[in-house]
Amino acid sequence: MKKTVSERADILPVLGEVFRAHGYEGATLALISEATGLGKGSLYHFFPGGKAQMAGEVLAEIDAWFEVNIFAPLRSAEDPARAIAAMLKGTEEYFRSGRRVCLVGVFALGAARDSFAAQVNDYFARWGDALALLLGRSGLSSSVARRRSEDAMLSIQGALVLARARDDAKIFSRAMAELKLRLLAE
Amino acid sequence: MKKTVSERADILPVLGEVFRAHGYEGATLALISEATGLGKGSLYHFFPGGKAQMAGEVLAEIDAWFEVNIFAPLRSAEDPARAIAAMLKGTEEYFRSGRRVCLVGVFALGAARDSFAAQVNDYFARWGDALALLLGRSGLSSSVARRRSEDAMLSIQGALVLARARDDAKIFSRAMAELKLRLLAE
DNA sequence: GTCTATAAAGCGATAGAC
DNA sequence: GTCTATCGCTTTATAGAC
C-alpha cells in the first residue's frame, strides 16, 4: 500500500502501523519506505537518528494522543461513571475494537522494552494514575481504586493479546463491557 | 551465557528463552548459537527447517507442557476450587511470578502470528475450553463459565504485559490473586 | 555430530547528485 | 526534500572437512 506523504505529521501514524504490524525488530527500513512512499534518504532527512528515533517519536505521539483524549479527561471528570464510559469508548475506538494492537504493549514484551523503558512505563503509569484518581474521587478507598485501575490496564492489554491470538475481535469488546461493570461496582 | 548441550531435549528450552527475550524476528542465529553453545552447522543438523522449525518445535513443547501440567488436570479435576488453585499456582510458577513472558502471547502480537496462527490459537482455545469445562461442572451456567474462562486467559496475558511494561513482577502475583477470587465467586 | 568457510541476500545507515 | 548508489555489516542458509 503506497501512500505518498511529505509532512512529518503524516508520516508518524504510518510509521506506527508498520511498527504495530511487525514489531521493532521486524519493521525494516524497506517496509517503512514502502508504507510511507519515502526513500531512505527522505526518511533519514526527517529522522537522522534512524529507526530508534522513528520508534521514539511514534511512542511520543501515541502518548500525546492518550494524554489529550484519555488521561486528561479522566483527571478532570465530574461524573466518574460517565468518565469511565468515555474512557472505554475512546479505548475501544482507538484499538479498533480489538483489531488494532497496542504498540506500547508490543514494545513492552519485546527486546525494544530496554531501549524505550521510560516511555513504556510512563504510558501505563500515567493512565493508571489518572484512572485511580478518578476512582478515588468516586468514593473508593485509595487501595481499592489502585487495584481496580491496575485491573483495567491489564484487562485492556490482555484482551488485545487474546483477541489477536484467537483472531476474534469480539473478545476485546466483551472484555471492555465486563471491565466497565467491574470498574463501576460498589 | 554459554551452556553446552547436545540433546534435542536440552536445546528446546534454551531456544524458548531466546525467542522469549528477543521475539521471533529478534532471535538471530548468532544469539541462538551463543545461548545453546552450538554452531550453525549443528543447529541446522537438528533443525533443517531453520528458525521457523525451531520456533514451531518450541511452541509444540510449550503446548505439551501445558497439556500435561495445566489443561489435563483441569479436565479431570474432582474439586473445582482446588483445581483452580492448582492451575494458578502452576501458572505463577511457570511464568516465574511475572518475570518470564509468555512466548505464545509474544508471537500472537507480532508478525510471527501469521506463520504460527494454528498453534497460537490452539493453545488458548484448549486452555479456555478446559477451564470452562471445569467451571461448568462447578455449577456455573455454560455462558458464565465461558466468560469467566475468557477473563482468566486475558488476565494472565495482560498481567504479563503490564508486569513487564512496568518492570514490577508483583503486578502479576496480585492479578493472579484477584483472578482466583473472581473465578471462585458464586 | 560438530566445526569453519562461505554464499547470497538483506540490514541500517551514509554520501552526494539533483 | 528526494532520489540512487553504495558502504560495511549481519542475516539465514549451505557446503564440506573432520
Side-chain angles (χ1 to χ4, degrees), chain B residues 25 42-43 46 63 87 90 100 139 145 154 163 186:
Chain B
E25 288 85 1
S42 301
L43 288 171
F46 285 114
D63 195 271
M87 175 191 96
R100 193 195 211 188
L154 112 215
E186 283 309 306

Side-chain angles (χ1 to χ4, degrees), chain B residues 26 30 57 65 72-73 86 92 98 118 134 142 146 152 161 163 166 172 180:
Chain B
E57 290 200 23
W65 188 92
E92 188 141 4
L134 177 88
S142 74
R146 268 259 134 252
V161 172
R166 307 224 47 195
F172 183 75
K180 191 177 191 174

Side-chain angles (χ1 to χ4, degrees), chain B residues 154-174:
Chain B
L154 112 215
S155 292
I156 293 166
Q157 293 301 309
L160 290 171
V161 172
L162 196 61
R164 205 168 134 74
R166 307 224 47 195
D167 194 24
D168 181 1
K170 285 203 241 33
I171 291 173
F172 183 75
S173 300
R174 267 200 299 270

Side-chain angles (χ1 to χ4, degrees), chain B residues 8-155:
Chain B
R8 196 188 197 81
D10 298 324
I11 301 171
L12 286 178
V14 181
L15 250 38
E17 295 309 323
V18 180
F19 281 122
R20 258 183 260 273
H22 299 92
Y24 184 77
E25 288 85 1
T28 66
L29 255 31
L31 283 169
I32 292 170
S33 184
E34 194 205 335
T36 57
L38 256 36
K40 294 176 195 184
S42 301
L43 288 171
Y44 275 91
H45 168 74
F46 285 114
F47 308 96
K51 220 169 87 164
Q53 186 184 352
M54 296 180 206
E57 290 200 23
V58 167
L59 281 179
E61 204 206 28
I62 290 170
D63 195 271
W65 188 92
F66 274 85
E67 175 57 39
V68 170
N69 295 282
I70 307 283
F71 307 163
L74 239 27
R75 288 189 210 103
S76 63
E78 301 275 335
D79 180 346
R82 283 183 61 146
I84 285 168
M87 175 191 96
L88 291 173
K89 184 167 179 288
T91 302
E92 188 141 4
E93 281 170 8
Y94 182 86
F95 293 117
R96 310 263 162 80
S97 301
R99 273 175 295 271
R100 193 195 211 188
V101 117
C102 175
L103 185 62
V104 192
V106 171
F107 277 18
L109 281 189
R113 203 214 68 134
D114 299 336
S115 313
F116 304 100
Q119 282 177 284
V120 167
N121 180 72
D122 233 54
Y123 170 83
F124 291 111
R126 302 218 326 287
W127 193 344
D129 286 349
L131 180 55
L133 185 77
L134 177 88
L135 291 172
R137 252 188 290 122
S138 83
L140 262 42
S141 76
S142 74
S143 69
V144 172
R146 268 259 134 252
R147 275 190 290 141
R148 283 203 193 173
S149 144
E150 199 167 280
D151 173 37
M153 299 298 94
L154 112 215
S155 292

Side-chain angles (χ1 to χ4, degrees), chain A residues 21 101 108-111 113 120-121 124-125 147 150 153-154 157-159 161-162 164-167 174-175 178 182, chain B residues 21 101 108-111 113 120-121 124-125 147 150 153-154 157-159 161-162 164-167 174-175 178 182:
Chain A
V101 117
L109 281 188
R113 203 213 67 131
V120 167
N121 179 72
F124 290 111
R147 275 191 289 141
E150 197 166 282
M153 300 297 95
L154 108 217
Q157 292 302 309
V161 172
L162 196 61
R164 203 168 136 76
R166 307 223 47 195
D167 195 23
R174 266 199 299 272
E178 293 257 319
R182 286 209 300 273
Chain B
V101 117
L109 281 189
R113 203 214 68 134
V120 167
N121 180 72
F124 291 111
R147 275 190 290 141
E150 199 167 280
M153 299 298 94
L154 112 215
Q157 293 301 309
V161 172
L162 196 61
R164 205 168 134 74
R166 307 224 47 195
D167 194 24
R174 267 200 299 270
E178 293 256 318
R182 287 210 299 272

